[in-house]
Amino acid sequence: MVWNKEAECMNKEAKKELQLKRLQETVKLAYENVPFYTKKLDDAGVKPEDIKTLEDIEKIPFTTKDDLRAAYPFGLFAVPDDEIVEIHSSSGTTGKPTVSGYTKHDLDVWAEITARGLDMAGAKKNYIIQNAYGYGLFTGGFGIHHGGYKFGATVVPISAGNTARQLQIMKDFQCDILTCTPSYAMYLGESLEKAGIGIDEINLKAGIFGAEMWTEEMRQKIEASLGIKALNIYGLTEIMGPGVAQECMEQDGIHISDDHFYPEIINPKTGETLGFDEKGELVLTTLTREGMPILRFRTKDITSLMSGDCACGRTTVRMRRITGRSDDMLKIRGVMVFPSQIEKALLTVEGISPNYLIIVTRPEILDEVEVKVEASRELFSDEMKEMEKVEKRIVDAIRGETGLRVDVTLCEPESLPRSEGKAVRVIDERNFD
């Protein structure tokens, strides 16, 4: 079953015609109603009528997160205030938050794309969805909620946190689908075992996990601990929220709702547009958004668009899982490293928990990296000699994946901070002033 067969299985030529029509309408909307885009396009010598083909999108300047911060709070809205019916915002932990405004039409689109995602996860109308994404200004909880309402399933808006209550609801309500961050899903799996609740006592069939990067190895551990199929969902506040893209049960790439969002991959250093299967930075343009149209937004997320078709029958373009961000690469002793590479290495080593923390310092001239990892209960109660062997295996695994020699510290089980939202994995204490 496909939720919206007409849109999700559309002939590719028809899709291109629809994308071009919607792109032209979006550029016109932004140019005529958002002073920021009026100036941006005028400065680039581009008028809405210059967009005659999809390739002409490359004439349009990029939009960055700094642009959105400069427009705080409502400088990018394209409709009168009384047409904005919902507002969300990023946390603003690294500066001014970015604000996202939605019209009733935008919420309908958001509900549509997340309903597609629930269908990809195998949902049925009698399913119970345990929505453990945070509600509030964060888009996660409401995005899934809107989609569940449109789909017709039962949504339990439990939000993030209160793990004991999560497990009780999971067991008592016999929930079918879990939605939350992958790091919290991992923690719920650990807590399930600790509480003495067997997989046979719950009814979960699938999980929809996003809002942070995670590896294939982490997926396998989540699937084993919860007895589910774990699927990747992608979204961002600036564009819409969760549901911009999601994996289907084939787990072979993340389907982008490309009738609503036009994807590009660029070289993050030069801005040059790259082709299918070439790795670079994802750029997204909204095609149907009324309240806040966004043109060529640089997401900073590193991925590639996949060529070929998915076995599920959907023709929407797919992207590979996010492997890092162009702005969270760590340059350590001249080597560029993504935290996800270290996570991948850690998850190949037996006897440790997937909870870790990377601490980067520069005490004198050279960078130093310490990776703190929780040992399993069995390993922590074992002899020191055995722990030293595991530490060496971790060091070798990280060196094999990244080429870097790091210090590894095995910590007591459950001693590192847990996150109910996005996990904090890196602390960079270097002073670059």
Side-chain angles (χ1 to χ4, degrees):
M1 175 184 164
V2 176
W3 172 257
N4 186 337
K5 195 167 185 179
E6 181 181 356
E8 296 176 77
C9 302
M10 188 182 297
N11 173 279
K12 291 185 179 179
E13 288 306 312
K15 173 72 65 63
K16 287 180 180 179
E17 290 179 15
L18 178 65
Q19 288 174 324
L20 176 58
K21 177 177 178 291
R22 289 179 168 179
L23 174 63
Q24 290 168 330
E25 292 170 349
T26 296
V27 173
K28 187 172 187 293
L29 173 68
Y31 184 80
E32 293 180 352
N33 295 279
V34 184
F36 165 79
Y37 278 122
T38 308
K39 183 177 187 308
K40 191 101 166 171
L41 291 169
D42 281 345
D43 288 348
V46 179
K47 300 293 183 186
E49 54 269 25
D50 294 331
I51 308 301
K52 295 180 170 64
T53 67
L54 284 175
E55 289 70 28
D56 287 336
I57 196 171
E58 294 180 30
K59 298 176 181 178
I60 300 171
F62 296 115
T63 303
T64 67
K65 184 163 281 195
D66 285 342
D67 292 328
L68 272 65
R69 288 172 176 150
Y72 178 87
F74 306 141
L76 288 178
F77 290 2
V79 298
D81 293 347
D82 61 359
E83 292 184 34
I84 297 293
V85 298
E86 190 164 307
I87 290 176
H88 288 276
S89 172
S90 67
S91 62
T93 53
T94 57
K96 273 189 179 179
T98 57
V99 174
S100 201
Y102 304 77
T103 64
K104 176 64 170 63
H105 163 83
D106 297 334
L107 293 185
D108 289 342
V109 170
W110 198 7
E112 162 67 20
I113 61 175
T114 47
R116 292 179 189 181
L118 290 171
D119 182 86
M120 289 185 205
K124 298 176 182 176
K125 291 197 173 181
N126 65 338
Y127 273 21
I128 297 175
I129 300 163
Q130 184 167 338
N131 189 11
Y133 281 115
Y135 280 71
L137 287 176
F138 174 58
T139 56
F142 277 97
I144 298 295
H145 195 103
H146 292 318
Y149 184 80
K150 185 175 183 69
F151 188 90
T154 301
V155 180
V156 180
I158 192 168
S159 193
N162 198 343
T163 300
R165 180 70 167 156
Q166 298 275 0
L167 299 182
Q168 180 185 7
I169 292 293
M170 188 184 295
K171 181 181 175 183
D172 294 350
F173 289 15
Q174 290 290 282
C175 300
D176 299 278
I177 293 178
L178 172 67
T179 67
C180 61
T181 63
S183 57
Y184 193 51
M186 181 74 78
Y187 183 49
L188 287 172
E190 291 176 359
S191 301
L192 198 71
E193 182 180 5
K194 188 177 176 183
I197 302 173
I199 291 177
D200 59 338
E201 297 179 70
I202 62 173
N203 191 47
L204 289 181
K205 301 173 182 67
I208 299 174
F209 307 129
E212 62 188 22
M213 289 174 291
W214 51 309
T215 60
E216 186 62 29
E217 290 78 8
M218 191 170 181
R219 186 214 297 271
Q220 291 167 8
K221 287 185 179 290
I222 291 171
E223 289 185 336
S225 68
L226 292 172
I228 60 172
K229 195 105 167 179
L231 305 175
N232 207 329
I233 190 171
Y234 176 80
L236 57 170
T237 302
E238 296 83 0
I239 295 297
M240 181 66 78
V244 171
Q246 187 177 309
E247 276 183 312
C248 67
M249 284 294 196
E250 297 294 329
Q251 295 179 317
D252 184 27
I254 308 170
H255 290 267
I256 300 173
S257 285
D258 55 4
D259 53 330
H260 294 289
F261 313 100
Y262 187 78
E264 303 171 80
I265 299 293
I266 64 166
N267 181 316
K269 292 183 179 178
T270 67
E272 171 195 5
T273 302
L274 303 177
F276 282 95
D277 300 313
E278 292 188 90
K279 195 173 188 179
E281 180 183 340
L282 178 66
V283 172
L284 290 170
T285 296
T286 63
L287 296 177
T288 56
R289 192 164 178 187
E290 293 179 342
M292 201 175 93
I294 298 292
L295 305 179
R296 303 194 81 197
F297 180 72
R298 294 191 59 164
T299 67
K300 300 293 186 179
D301 291 323
I302 302 298
T303 183
S304 61
L305 299 181
M306 299 173 64
S307 56
D309 298 323
C310 184
C312 74
R314 294 174 178 85
T315 59
T316 46
V317 69
R318 290 166 295 151
M319 69 180 191
R320 291 181 172 84
R321 68 165 62 243
I322 304 299
T323 56
R325 288 178 56 82
S326 60
D327 59 355
D328 80 351
M329 281 192 298
L330 294 167
K331 190 171 184 180
I332 300 169
R333 299 176 220 137
V335 178
M336 304 305 291
V337 179
F338 284 115
S340 58
Q341 290 177 280
I342 293 177
E343 178 178 298
K344 183 178 179 181
L346 291 174
L347 291 171
T348 65
V349 179
E350 293 293 330
I352 61 173
S353 159
N355 293 296
Y356 66 94
L357 187 63
I358 303 165
I359 302 172
V360 188
T361 58
R362 183 178 289 171
E364 295 180 0
I365 299 173
L366 295 177
D367 296 331
E368 293 185 6
V369 182
E370 179 187 15
V371 180
K372 292 187 173 182
V373 191
E374 289 181 4
S376 65
R377 293 187 180 281
E378 295 76 16
L379 178 62
F380 198 76
S381 60
D382 213 329
E383 296 179 3
M384 181 64 68
K385 189 174 181 181
E386 187 59 33
M387 290 184 65
E388 289 173 353
K389 287 180 182 177
V390 173
E391 285 181 347
K392 185 179 185 306
R393 285 200 287 270
I394 296 171
V395 168
D396 292 343
I398 293 174
R399 180 186 283 174
E401 182 67 32
T402 67
L404 283 176
R405 173 70 165 80
V406 304
D407 296 320
V408 171
T409 303
L410 282 174
C411 304
E412 186 177 352
E414 300 185 26
S415 61
L416 294 179
R418 294 308 198 266
S419 174
E420 295 161 355
K422 294 187 181 183
V424 176
R425 299 297 195 193
V426 179
I427 298 176
D428 193 340
E429 297 179 345
R430 292 174 293 180
N431 185 353
F432 294 106
D433 293 339

